[in-house]
Amino acid sequence: MGWLWAIIVGFVLGLIAKAILPGKQHSPLWLTTVFGIIGAVLGNWLATQFGINETKGIDWGRHALQLVAAVVVVGLGDAAYKMIKGNRRTA
């Protein structure tokens, strides 16, 4: 069940990160989901480093760090994807 939640959270974080970033992103949906999963893991690690990974109630700080990390990872990942694939246009 943990993998399923990781995929769902990564998908949602990736889509939110794509919506926050300006311009058009070129990475496919599956890659955006992978970037979102990486952002969630990185955000959880940062929350642990800051000591806010486990609080009473909703962990707003952890979720904010996950979102910020997802935005950074999606932005950098999309730039790398565009650089590797080239700036080809699809019909």
Side-chain angles (χ1 to χ4, degrees):
M1 205 57 179
W3 284 104
L4 179 62
W5 276 113
I7 292 169
I8 291 170
V9 168
F11 177 73
V12 171
L13 279 175
L15 288 180
I16 293 172
K18 264 186 141 176
I20 290 173
L21 288 170
K24 183 178 186 323
Q25 287 77 43
H26 298 73
S27 55
L29 190 58
W30 68 268
L31 193 55
T32 302
T33 303
V34 171
F35 293 154
I37 292 170
I38 294 169
V41 170
L42 184 60
N44 281 339
W45 179 80
L46 287 172
T48 302
Q49 298 303 310
F50 292 138
I52 58 171
N53 60 332
E54 292 184 24
T55 59
K56 292 183 179 182
I58 299 174
D59 294 330
W60 293 111
R62 180 172 56 97
H63 296 316
L65 287 171
Q66 286 177 333
L67 182 59
V68 168
V71 168
V72 170
V73 171
V74 167
L76 292 175
D78 187 65
Y81 178 80
K82 207 161 70 168
M83 186 176 65
I84 290 169
K85 284 293 191 181
N87 204 3
R88 291 185 242 157
R89 291 188 173 210
T90 57

